Amino acid sequence: MRLAPRLLPTLIGAAALLFCAKIVDVWFAIGAPVASAQAQPAAETPKPSHVAAAEPAPAPPPAGKRAGRDPMSFSPQEIEILQSLAQRRDDLDKRAAEIDRHEALLQATEQRIDEKIARLQQMEGKINDAFKKEDQKDEAKIKSLVKIYETMKPKEAARIFEQLDQPVLLDVLEQMKEMKTAPILAAMDPAKAKAVTLALAARQPSPEVKQ
């Protein structure tokens, strides 16, 4: 009967120890995750995907080009101005094309005119050559006539001279010697001889008067 009071304090102490052990176990069970979470470094905290891999910034538009504008955002006044500018540009393009056509036409016309001028110059050269040849032939004929008339008697030569055209007669008389023409003119009709003499004087340049 004396042992019961001694066992009771011992049982109470053992129960208290067990209760403390349970409390310690519960504390470790609750405090360990918290401590491990606090012990992890801040660098290991996961970051959002949009921060870890940032998207590259859009490239700026090329120099001299502006970002396109939504056509639906233009006001009626702006649309009217743009239409007017487009029409003006079309008119300028048409006018430039017309000017180019006129320029090409003028160049073609100028080329044709140059070709015609070249042909005319060529023809003129041929005509001049032909005239020179004819003049040479006429000169040879005149010289031949001069020799003939200089050997004829004055009266016979005068009768022929009165029938010749005045230009031919003047060409012959200009190349004849004066001593041969004087008798022939004396034998000619006085009116015809006077007319021929005046024509010869008009052909020959007047002598310079010496001061």
Side-chain angles (χ1 to χ4, degrees):
M1 298 297 293
R2 292 179 180 178
L3 293 175
R6 295 179 180 179
L7 289 173
L8 182 59
T10 304
L11 292 173
I12 294 172
L17 290 174
L18 289 174
F19 181 76
C20 291
K22 291 289 184 181
I23 291 175
V24 171
D25 291 337
V26 172
W27 183 84
F28 276 113
I30 296 173
V34 174
S36 62
Q38 292 178 352
Q40 290 181 355
E44 295 181 359
T45 303
K47 296 181 180 180
S49 59
H50 67 276
V51 177
E55 296 181 357
K65 293 185 178 179
R66 297 182 178 178
R69 183 178 173 185
D70 187 5
M72 300 301 294
S73 64
F74 289 109
S75 64
Q77 292 80 7
E78 290 176 335
I79 294 175
E80 184 177 357
I81 292 174
L82 291 175
Q83 291 177 348
S84 177
L85 291 175
Q87 183 64 35
R88 180 62 175 170
R89 182 175 181 179
D90 291 340
D91 294 339
L92 291 175
D93 291 340
K94 291 179 181 179
R95 187 173 182 181
E98 186 177 359
I99 291 174
D100 291 339
R101 286 194 297 270
H102 282 298
E103 185 176 358
L105 181 61
L106 289 175
Q107 290 179 353
T109 304
E110 183 178 0
Q111 184 177 0
R112 288 197 297 269
I113 291 174
D114 291 339
E115 292 175 355
K116 288 183 179 180
I117 291 175
R119 288 197 296 268
L120 289 175
Q121 290 177 346
Q122 186 177 4
M123 291 175 60
E124 184 180 3
K126 292 180 179 180
I127 292 171
N128 290 333
D129 292 339
F131 276 128
K132 288 180 180 179
K133 293 179 180 179
E134 290 296 328
D135 291 341
Q136 292 174 356
K137 291 180 180 179
D138 292 340
E139 187 71 17
K141 291 178 181 179
I142 295 298
K143 289 181 178 180
S144 177
L145 290 175
V146 168
K147 291 180 179 180
I148 293 173
Y149 292 138
E150 285 181 345
T151 58
M152 292 176 64
K153 294 181 179 180
K155 291 183 179 180
E156 294 176 358
R159 186 171 62 253
I160 296 173
F161 280 7
E162 289 177 355
Q163 303 299 323
L164 291 176
D165 293 335
Q166 187 167 338
V168 178
L169 178 57
L170 295 176
D171 290 339
V172 172
L173 290 174
E174 281 182 342
Q175 297 190 25
M176 289 180 66
K177 298 177 181 179
E178 293 181 359
M179 60 183 301
K180 296 292 185 178
T181 59
I184 296 174
L185 290 174
M188 290 175 61
D189 179 73
K192 182 71 173 180
K194 181 180 179 180
V196 171
T197 302
L198 293 174
L200 284 173
R203 274 194 172 190
Q204 296 176 357
S206 58
E208 295 181 359
V209 178
K210 295 182 180 181
Q211 297 180 353

